[in-house]
Amino acid sequence: MKHLTIACAVLACACADAAAPAIEKRIDALLARMTLEEKVGQLVQIGSGDFASGDVEKGPLDSHVVNAVVRGEAGLLISCCGIKKYNQLQKMAVEESRLGIPIMLGHDVIHGCRTVAPIPLGLSCAWDEDLWRGLAETFAVEARTRGIDWTFAPMLDVSRDARWGRIAECAGQDPFLASRYAASMVRGFQGDNPADGRHVAACLKHYVAYGACEGGRDYNTVELSDDTLRNVYLPPFEAGVRAGALTVMPAFHVMNGLPCSANPYLLRTTLRGRFGFEGMTVSDWGSVGELVPPRHGMYANLADAAAGAINAGMDVDMMSNAYRRHLVERVKAGVVKANVLDEAVRHVLRVKFALGLFEHPYADEKLLEKLDLKKHAEQMRVAAQRSVVLLKNEKRTLPLKRGTRVVLMGELGDNPSEMLGTWQTWDVPGENAALLAGLRADGVDVVYAPCYTMTGAVDVVAVTAAATNADLVVATFGELCGWAAAMNGENTSRADIGLPGEQDKVVEALRATGRPFVAVLFNGRPLAIPELADACDALVEAWNPGSSGGWGVADVMTGLAEPTGRLTVDFPHKTGECPLYYNRLETGRPWVDGDRWTTRYVDAPSPGRSLFSFGFGLSYTTFAYANEKAAVDGDKVVFTADVTNLGGRTGEEVVQVYVRDVVACVSRPRRELKGWQRVKLVGGETKSVRIEVPVSRLGFWHAGTRVAGEGEFNAWIAPDSDRGRLLTFNLGGAR
Ligand code: BGC
C-alpha cells in the first residue's frame, strides 16, 4: 500500500490563499521524498486516452496512460475520459504510484457541459456579475459529474478585432468589463471552497494579449506597447488572480519577439511579481514544443525548449512531451536548477491540495443523480434571454403580436446543435435549443420554411414564396459553429466578416417582398452587416445561445422577457475597419462628418460611427436620463442621474459611466467604461441611480509606473459609449 502518509488534518486552503502555511509544510515533506523523475512527472500533462482511436470516454483504459500514472510520470491529464475511468486512474495514482499523489484532470468546460449557456461573448452582453458567477457554479458542478476537476476557463483575452474567431470565447473589448467578468467567473468556478467536490480549478487564459494578433489571424504575432499591455490586456488577468484563480495558461503567440510560453517578463516579473500569483501555470496545447524551428525558433531543440520554458516560469507542459522526455536530463546537466524545478512542482501540488484531492481523490459517481438538470436548463434559458441584444426595432415589430402568422426561415431556425456554440464536444439534449421549438413553446403561430443554408446556394424563388404567405418573416442569419465547419472559435479567423455564403441574397429577396421581417443572428463575432441592418424591421443579436437558446431567444421575441443585453463589442460596417473599438484614441484629427482632413475611410462611415457601438442595445421601452452629475468625494467620484422609463412596459436599463482624462502625460482614450448599474423601472417610473468610482480606477499605466488620475476629466452617464450629456469633474493635482 503506497498511500500518502501526510496527515489529513489540514483543510484545503481558501482559493485566495493558495500558499497556506500548513499546506506548504505538507508540500515540503512531499518534495523531500520525491525523486527527480517523480518531480518532473508532476509537471507533465498528457491525454487521458488515445485520441487517435476517437472518443476518449469510450473504450478501455489506454495502457500508455495507465503506465504513466502508475509510474508517476504524468501528474496531470487532459480531455474528459468519463467519471468511471477518472476514478480508476485516480485509484492507480493514489494506491499504486510510489507516493500516491493524486492526478488532476483538466478539460475545456467553457460555457457548459451537460447544459449549455450562450457563448462567453454573448454572456458578456448581460453585464451581470451575479449571472456570470451563478453560471460558472453550474458549469463547475456539471464538470464534476464527468470527473473533471480543472477547467481551462475563463478566457480573458480582450479582443478589438472581430476577424479573430476566438472573440466568441471572450468577454468583448473592454478591460473593465472583462475584469468584472474574470472575477465573477473565477468565484463561480472555484466557489468559496474549491475542495467541496462541486467546484473546479479555474484557468485564466490565454496569458496575454492573444486577441491582439496581427490581422486577426489566430496564433499570429502580437506587437504591443507595454502601456497598452498594462492598460488594456493585463487587467482581466490581474482581476482573475486577485479573485483567487488557481491556474493560468500562457498563450501560443509571440509578443514583442518573445513567445508567451517562455517569457520571464510575463510569467515571473508580472504574474508572480506584480500580481502575486501563487498557483500553477500550464502551457497551451503543445506550445512548449512550438518553441523550436521551424516554428518560433527560440530554442534549437526540444530539450532546450523544455529548459527555457521552465526557467521562464512555465510550470506544466501540456501535450508536447518536452518535459517528459528532457527535463530530468536538463536538471542533471544543471541547465535547470533544482530550486526552479521544486518551485514548479510546489505550484502544482498547491493546486492539488487546494482542490482537496489528497483528502478526497475520487469523483462522486452519484453527483449527477443529485443534480436537477431541469433547473440548470431554466438557468441557461435566463442566460440566453439576458445575452440577447436588440439592435433594431422599427414600427414596434417586436415583441411578436399574438395571432401573427410567422414564417421562420434559414437552416439555423431549427438546428439545435448549431445553437450550442464553440467548445461543445458533448451530446447535450437540445430540445429547447432551436428557435422553432422556442417560438412554438411560447405560443407563436409559426411555420418553418428552411429555404436556405448558411453556406449553400440560395433559392430566391422559395424565399420569396414563403415570405409572401406570412404576416411576418423571422429570418435566421449567421455563422456555423459545429466543430467540423466552425466559423468562429479557435482558428476560425475570417478575412471577410460579412454574412457567409449567399445569405446577402436572402436579405435582398426579403427586402424586395416588402414583408416585415425580423432578422435573428446566430453568430460568434460582430458581423459587418449594414445591408441587413438597413433592410430588416427588427434585428436580434442572439449569439450562439446554448442548449436552452431557442426558448430564451423566443422569450425575448415574444416579450415574455425584456431585451436587456448591451453590446460588449463594436460592429463595423466593413471588415476593413477592424480592429475597431470605442475606447480608441482620438488622433490629432478626430473624425468630423464631412471634413476632408479628419481621420476617416473614404469608403466607410467610421471611425466616427460604428454600425453598432459598445454598450448599445434597445429595450421594448425607452429611457430618459436627467440631472446627470459627477462629483468628487474624497477618494471616489460619485456619478448620479435620474433615469425614467418613458414607456408603459417595465424595462431594465444598463446605466453606464464613461470618462476621459482630458490632459495627461500621454494621449488617453476618448472614453473608457468605469462603472455600470442595472436599474429596473416600471412604466413611467423614475429612479435615481448612483455609481461610485474609486479615484484609483481613473489612473493608468505609463512607462512602467501607475500614473494617478489628476486634473480635468470629461464624463458621461449614458446608455452606450456614443451617447450621453458631457459632464466634467476635476481631481485637482499638478496638471
Ligand atoms: C486552446 C486552449 C485550450 C487547449 C486545451 C488549445 O488549443 O488554445 O484554449 O484550453 O487547447 O484544450
Side-chain angles (χ1 to χ4, degrees), residues 78-79 107-108 110 152-153 155 166 169 203 205-206 210 218-219 249 252 283-285 318 423 490:
I78 181 168
S79 291
H107 192 99
D108 294 273
I110 308 296
F152 304 117
M155 197 273 224
R166 302 200 79 168
E169 299 175 53
C203 182
K205 74 183 190 186
H206 308 82
Y210 183 33
D218 210 357
Y219 316 133
M249 180 189 289
F252 283 126
S283 82
D284 204 342
W285 184 289
M318 178 200 286
W423 282 117
E490 185 172 345

Side-chain angles (χ1 to χ4, degrees), residues 91-407:
K91 198 162 189 286
M92 291 171 194
V94 170
E95 295 191 2
E96 293 177 45
S97 76
R98 195 181 72 90
L99 290 173
I101 299 175
I103 50 160
M104 201 168 119
L105 173 67
H107 192 99
D108 294 273
V109 177
I110 308 296
H111 54 115
C113 181
R114 292 195 182 270
T115 57
V116 179
I119 51 170
L121 184 59
L123 291 178
S124 69
C125 295
W127 298 57
D128 189 334
E129 290 164 89
D130 294 339
L131 180 99
W132 296 331
R133 181 176 178 155
L135 286 167
E137 296 256 0
T138 302
F139 305 158
V141 77
E142 290 188 359
R144 282 283 188 171
T145 67
R146 295 190 191 268
I148 297 160
D149 30 43
W150 170 30
T151 180
F152 304 117
M155 197 273 224
L156 302 178
D157 301 313
V158 166
S159 180
R160 299 167 154 187
D161 196 332
R163 291 171 296 179
W164 191 50
R166 302 200 79 168
I167 198 170
E169 299 175 53
C170 78
Q173 64 175 217
D174 185 76
F176 177 70
L177 187 126
S179 300
R180 290 304 172 99
Y181 172 83
S184 311
M185 295 301 284
V186 168
R187 294 198 176 105
F189 276 126
Q190 297 188 176
D192 295 329
N193 174 15
D196 66 2
R198 300 178 71 91
H199 292 88
V200 295
C203 182
L204 313 180
K205 74 183 190 186
H206 308 82
Y207 185 70
V208 55
Y210 183 33
C213 44
E214 283 177 0
R217 187 154 56 82
D218 210 357
Y219 316 133
N220 204 12
T221 309
V222 173
E223 286 285 326
L224 204 63
S225 75
D226 193 60
D227 283 7
T228 305
L229 174 68
R230 288 173 185 248
N231 288 321
V232 178
Y233 294 96
L234 283 172
F237 287 91
E238 181 170 7
V241 170
R242 304 229 182 266
L246 289 165
T247 77
V248 171
M249 180 189 289
F252 283 126
H253 64 276
V254 167
M255 193 171 69
N256 300 340
L258 214 57
C260 297
S261 304
N263 191 321
Y265 172 64
L266 294 178
L267 301 182
R268 294 201 182 276
T269 314
T270 307
L271 186 64
R272 305 246 176 229
R274 193 146 78 75
F275 301 164
F277 179 62
E278 294 178 330
M280 97 195 185
T281 52
V282 54
S283 82
D284 204 342
W285 184 289
S287 76
V288 175
E290 295 178 6
L291 295 170
V292 303
R295 300 169 181 211
H296 296 319
M298 235 192 106
Y299 298 100
N301 52 51
L302 206 57
D304 288 350
I310 192 168
N311 283 336
M314 181 72 85
D315 298 328
V316 172
D317 170 11
M318 178 200 286
M319 293 303 287
S320 81
N321 275 324
Y323 286 13
R324 194 171 179 195
R325 289 198 194 126
H326 301 290
L327 212 45
V328 168
E329 175 272 315
R330 293 282 84 187
V331 175
K332 283 185 181 157
V335 183
V336 176
K337 301 273 174 282
N339 65 321
V340 170
L341 177 70
D342 282 4
E343 184 201 27
V345 177
R346 178 179 297 280
H347 297 152
V348 174
L349 295 177
R350 260 184 207 154
V351 176
K352 291 187 175 181
F353 275 110
L355 282 174
L357 290 171
F358 284 91
E359 285 77 26
H360 307 288
Y362 301 111
D364 176 1
E365 293 185 15
K366 297 235 157 36
L367 180 60
L368 182 58
E369 292 163 28
K370 296 175 203 159
L371 301 184
D372 184 350
L373 291 184
K374 282 214 169 91
K375 263 204 182 146
H376 293 192
E378 276 291 343
Q379 189 187 11
M380 300 306 148
R381 175 185 188 174
V382 172
Q385 293 168 355
R386 297 180 81 83
S387 302
V388 166
V389 187
L390 182 63
L391 294 174
K392 180 178 179 185
N393 194 19
E394 301 279 286
K395 297 179 241 143
R396 296 181 188 234
T397 307
L398 291 176
L400 296 171
K401 310 209 173 30
R402 285 222 159 264
T404 308
R405 284 178 311 129
V406 170
V407 62

Side-chain angles (χ1 to χ4, degrees), residues 405-643:
R405 284 178 311 129
V406 170
V407 62
L408 174 67
M409 289 185 188
E411 73 169 308
L412 296 184
D414 187 21
N415 198 332
S417 61
E418 281 294 331
M419 297 296 107
L420 299 181
T422 182
W423 282 117
Q424 286 316 314
T425 42
W426 288 290
D427 236 1
V428 172
E431 63 261 30
N432 300 311
L435 184 57
L436 178 63
L439 289 170
R440 289 208 167 123
D442 284 351
V444 177
D445 176 6
V446 55
V447 170
Y448 182 47
C451 291
Y452 58 93
T453 62
M454 293 300 101
T455 50
V458 167
D459 181 349
V460 172
V461 177
V463 170
T464 310
T468 320
N469 284 328
D471 300 330
L472 178 84
V473 178
V474 173
T476 56
F477 297 94
E479 302 178 309
L480 297 174
C481 63
W483 215 238
M487 295 172 182
N488 59 61
E490 185 172 345
N491 205 15
T492 57
S493 299
R494 292 180 61 203
D496 175 355
I497 58 168
L499 291 171
E502 296 193 348
Q503 295 180 58
D504 281 334
K505 284 193 181 165
V506 179
V507 178
E508 284 325 304
L510 289 176
R511 195 202 286 269
T513 67
R515 290 271 149 190
F517 91 88
V518 178
V520 182
L521 287 169
F522 294 110
N523 48 323
R525 56 155 58 79
L527 297 171
I529 43 161
E531 290 81 13
L532 174 62
D534 180 56
C536 68
D537 295 278
L539 182 57
V540 177
E541 176 51 82
W543 308 112
N544 294 124
S547 57
S548 299
W551 254 6
V553 176
D555 292 344
V556 174
M557 292 176 67
T558 54
L560 278 174
E562 295 300 308
T564 60
R566 302 291 184 260
L567 291 180
T568 57
V569 275
D570 278 48
F571 276 51
H573 295 83
K574 294 191 174 181
T575 308
E577 293 166 69
C578 295
L580 180 70
Y581 48 100
Y582 84 96
N583 46 0
R584 60 188 177 266
L585 304 186
E586 279 291 23
T587 80
R589 298 177 176 196
W591 179 78
V592 176
D593 202 357
D595 186 331
R596 169 76 176 77
W597 301 109
T598 59
T599 184
R600 63 171 187 165
Y601 292 100
V602 291
D603 55 358
S606 63
R609 208 179 286 145
S610 298
L611 181 60
F612 300 108
S613 301
F614 180 87
F616 177 74
L618 299 170
S619 305
Y620 289 145
T621 182
T622 48
F623 301 97
Y625 288 61
N627 299 322
E628 300 100 308
K629 288 192 188 75
V632 181
D633 178 10
D635 60 358
K636 55 184 186 290
V637 184
V638 180
F639 298 90
T640 49
D642 294 333
V643 181

